[in-house]
Amino acid sequence: MPNPSTATATAATAPAVPIKPLLAAMMLVVLLGALEQSITAVALPVIASELNGFTLMAWVVSAYLVASTVVTPIYGKLSDMYGRRTMLTCSVAIFVIASAGCALSQSMPQLVLMRVLQGIGGGGLLSIAQAAVSDVVAPRERGRIQGYFSSVWVAASMTGPIVGGYLTHYLSWHWIFWINLPVGVIALMMVRSSLRLLPLPPRDTRRVIDYVGAVLLAAGLTGVLMAITRIGQGVPVFESLNAALLAGGLLVMAVFFWHEGRTAAPIIPLPMLRIPTVAICCSALFMGFFILISVSVLLPLRLQMAGLSPELSALRLLPLTLTTPIGAWTAGRLMGRHGHYKKVMLTGSLVASAAGFVLVLISPQHDLLMTLIMAVMGLGLGTQFPTALVATQNAVQRSQVGIATALTSFSRLLGGAIGVAVMTAVTIALLRNALGDFHVGNAPDGGDAMMQIFRAVISASADANGAALRLAADGAFRQVTLLTAAVSLISPLLLLCMPELKLRDTTEPVAVAD
C-alpha cells in the first residue's frame, strides 16, 4: 500500500487526509457490497421453501441488482454536490437498516421489498468509495489502488457462497443478512472517521437537486431492467407485461434525456457523455462485464450438461476469478509506471476476445486447456476495469468525478444485467432448437425454463441417445460462446478510436478535457 508518510509516494495525496485509514474504510465498504452479491444465491432454495415463494425466488437477487443499478448515477451526482462522507454515510446506513429488514421478513414479497431497499443503499457503496479515493490519489496512482479493490471483490466472490452455505446450514438463512449489521456498523464508523478531513465541494456546486430527472431516470431504468431480467428468466420479449415494461421504460428514458438537456443541474450532465474518453471507457466496461457475467453464469451450465459435476464446473471458473484481479493489478502498475492507459486497455480487450473464440473450440473435457484459456480471459478482462475507471476520472473536472465514477459503476452493472439476461434468453432459444428432436426444450416460458431444460439434459441416460442429447446441448452452448466472443470485438474497435490524455500526477483538475 502507499506510504502516507512520504510526500512522493503518492504525489497525489491531499496532505491533511491520511491515506491508509481511508483505504481501509473504502475496502471494507467495497467488501460489504461485494459480499452481499455472492452470499445470497446459495440460500435461495431454503428461503423460497421456508417462505413458500418459489415463483419470486429469482427476484430476491434481481430486486437488489435492479435497484442498485438504478440509483448508482444518482449517488454519484449527489456525492459531487454534498460530499463523499455524507452520501456514503447515507448509503451504508440504508444498506444496514434494509439488511435488518431482510432478516426479519416473514414472507417472500416482504423480502423482495426489503431487497429493493437494500439495493437502494448498496448502489452507492462501490461508486462513492472509488470517488473518495480519487479525491486523494492522483490518476497515475489510482490504478494500483483499484487492484486492491479488485482483490477484495474476488475474495468476497470466493468466500461469500461458502459463508452463506455455512450460515444457512448451521444457523438459518436470516443470518446471511444479520451478518451485514456488525460489518456495516464498523464500516460506518470508519467512513465517518476517515473521510472527515475531505474538503466539502465548493458552495457553487450545491445546487438544487434535479428531482424530476432523478424520478425519470429511476422509473425508466426500472422498467427497462425489469423487462430485461424477465427476458433472461425465459419470458418472451413480446409478452404483454414485458412489452409494456420495455416500451414504457424506453419512452421514459427518452423523456429523461430531453429533460436533462434543458435543466440547469442535471443528474447526468449530457456534455460529459460527449467526451470521447468517457463514452468509450463506459462502453468498454459495459462490454467487459457483459462478457464476464455471461461466461460466469453460462459456462458452469455448459459443463454440467456435458457431464461434469457441479464441483468441477465451479472449479473451472476459478482461474477466471483469480486472474481478473491480477490483470487489474498489472494494469495499475503499468499505468503508474508509464502514465498511459490506451495500449493496456486495447491489449487486454484483444486478449479477452481471442480467448473467447478459442473457448468455442475447446471440449469441456480438456481440463488443462480450459483452465489456461479461462486464466487468459481473466487477465484480459481484468486489465480493462481499472484503466477505464481511471481514464474516465482523468478526463473530467474534479467537481464531476463523483458522477463520472458512478457512470463507470453503472456501466458495469448494466453490462452484467443485460449480458446475463440476453445471453440466457439466446441460450434457451438455441437449446430448444437443438434439442427439439429429443423432445426436450418445450418447457413453458417463465423463470424456470432454463432449469427445466437443464434438469432434462443432466438426467439423461448414459446410453447413445443420452450422449447425443448432451452433444446437441454442447453445440448450442458453442454457438452462444461464439456469439459472446463476436460481441466482445466491439470493445477493441471502440478503443482504437479513443484519444488518450496523459495521466495526471496531481489531484487537481485538468483545464480541458478531450
Side-chain angles (χ1 to χ4, degrees):
M1 281 209 175
N3 183 358
S5 63
T6 59
T8 60
T10 61
T13 310
V17 182
I19 277 196
K20 285 186 176 179
L22 184 145
L23 286 181
M26 297 306 99
M27 289 172 71
L28 186 59
V29 168
V30 171
L31 176 65
L32 191 65
L35 198 61
E36 186 53 40
Q37 295 192 25
S38 61
I39 199 173
T40 308
V42 70
L44 285 181
V46 176
I47 294 173
S49 178
E50 288 192 15
L51 298 183
N52 192 27
F54 281 96
T55 56
L56 292 175
M57 185 173 70
W59 285 102
V60 175
V61 174
S62 299
Y64 181 92
L65 178 62
V66 171
S68 59
T69 303
V70 165
V71 300
T72 294
I74 298 174
Y75 271 116
K77 177 63 176 181
L78 293 180
S79 75
D80 281 338
M81 295 171 64
Y82 297 103
R84 319 295 183 214
R85 187 176 185 237
T86 298
M87 296 314 303
L88 193 52
T89 298
C90 293
S91 178
V92 175
I94 293 171
F95 182 89
V96 170
I97 293 170
S99 295
C102 290
L104 294 171
S105 296
Q106 299 299 308
S107 68
M108 192 63 90
Q110 287 180 16
L111 179 59
V112 171
L113 181 61
M114 287 298 102
R115 287 285 286 172
V116 171
L117 182 60
Q118 194 181 34
I120 292 174
L125 298 179
L126 178 61
S127 61
I128 302 179
Q130 291 176 325
V133 169
S134 74
D135 288 338
V136 296
V137 178
R140 188 158 180 163
E141 295 293 328
R142 283 178 209 158
R144 184 157 49 103
I145 304 302
Q146 297 309 317
Y148 300 146
F149 282 2
S150 297
S151 300
V152 170
W153 197 275
V154 169
S157 300
M158 294 176 62
T159 60
I162 299 173
V163 173
Y166 273 97
L167 289 175
T168 303
H169 182 73
Y170 290 105
L171 296 173
S172 74
W173 64 265
H174 303 274
W175 281 92
I176 67 173
F177 299 112
W178 285 127
I179 196 175
N180 289 331
L181 270 65
V183 178
V185 169
I186 294 172
L188 193 59
M189 292 189 297
M190 293 179 68
V191 165
R192 298 297 298 171
S193 173
S194 64
L195 299 186
R196 72 185 188 282
L197 296 178
L198 278 185
L200 291 174
R203 285 193 170 273
D204 60 0
T205 65
R206 296 192 175 194
R207 303 170 181 170
V208 176
I209 297 175
D210 179 18
Y211 292 105
V212 174
V215 170
L216 288 171
L217 177 63
L221 282 176
T222 298
V224 172
L225 287 174
M226 284 185 67
I228 290 171
T229 301
R230 296 178 83 245
I231 291 169
Q233 294 170 359
V235 178
V237 177
F238 297 108
E239 184 260 350
S240 57
L241 178 57
N242 247 23
L245 287 170
L246 194 57
L250 291 174
L251 178 61
V252 173
M253 288 303 299
V255 176
F256 166 76
F257 284 110
W258 175 84
H259 169 78
E260 292 298 275
R262 287 159 175 77
T263 188
I267 289 291
I268 299 179
L270 297 186
M272 181 184 295
L273 298 178
R274 291 193 286 269
I275 298 174
T277 299
V278 174
I280 293 174
C281 284
C282 286
S283 299
L285 285 171
F286 177 94
M287 297 308 308
F289 268 76
F290 186 106
I291 304 306
L292 178 63
I293 303 301
S294 297
V295 171
S296 299
V297 171
L298 296 177
L299 183 63
L301 290 175
R302 176 190 177 187
L303 296 176
Q304 290 181 60
M305 286 191 188
L308 275 70
S309 67
E311 293 80 8
L312 285 176
S313 300
L315 285 174
R316 293 291 180 84
L317 280 181
L318 197 57
L320 177 69
T321 304
L322 292 178
T323 55
T324 300
I326 294 175
W329 182 85
T330 303
R333 288 287 180 176
L334 291 173
M335 281 193 295
R337 179 177 300 175
H338 302 294
H340 296 281
Y341 48 83
K342 181 175 178 177
K343 289 181 180 179
V344 178
M345 292 180 68
L346 183 58
T347 302
S349 65
L350 288 171
V351 167
S353 296
F357 282 106
V358 174
L359 194 60
V360 179
L361 307 175
I362 299 176
S363 168
Q365 280 72 30
H366 288 166
D367 297 347
L368 183 60
L369 194 53
M370 179 74 75
T371 298
L372 177 62
I373 294 304
M374 296 306 291
V376 170
M377 179 178 287
L379 287 171
L381 290 173
T383 59
Q384 299 174 64
F385 301 151
T387 46
L389 171 64
V390 173
T392 299
Q393 293 174 336
N394 188 66
V396 301
Q397 299 295 326
R398 185 171 182 175
S399 62
Q400 295 182 320
V401 164
I403 181 58
T405 304
L407 282 176
T408 62
S409 296
F410 172 73
S411 299
R412 291 164 55 142
L413 289 168
L414 196 63
I418 292 179
V420 71
V422 170
M423 298 316 294
T424 300
V426 171
T427 302
I428 291 173
L430 290 174
L431 283 170
R432 283 175 167 166
N433 181 64
L435 305 179
D437 293 338
F438 297 90
H439 306 291
V440 175
N442 297 317
D445 294 317
D448 59 352
M450 173 66 87
M451 292 312 299
Q452 290 194 34
I453 298 173
F454 174 71
R455 292 190 187 103
V457 174
I458 63 172
S459 62
S461 60
D463 58 15
N465 189 63
L469 176 63
R470 283 187 285 274
L471 185 62
D474 190 63
F477 274 103
R478 287 178 188 269
Q479 294 178 48
V480 175
T481 306
L482 179 61
L483 177 60
T484 304
V487 170
S488 72
L489 289 174
I490 296 174
S491 189
L493 291 175
L494 289 173
L495 291 171
L496 283 171
C497 304
M498 182 176 70
E500 183 170 35
L501 295 173
K502 186 173 179 62
L503 293 175
R504 303 189 303 275
D505 295 314
T506 172
T507 56
E508 292 304 311
V510 291
V512 180
D514 55 343

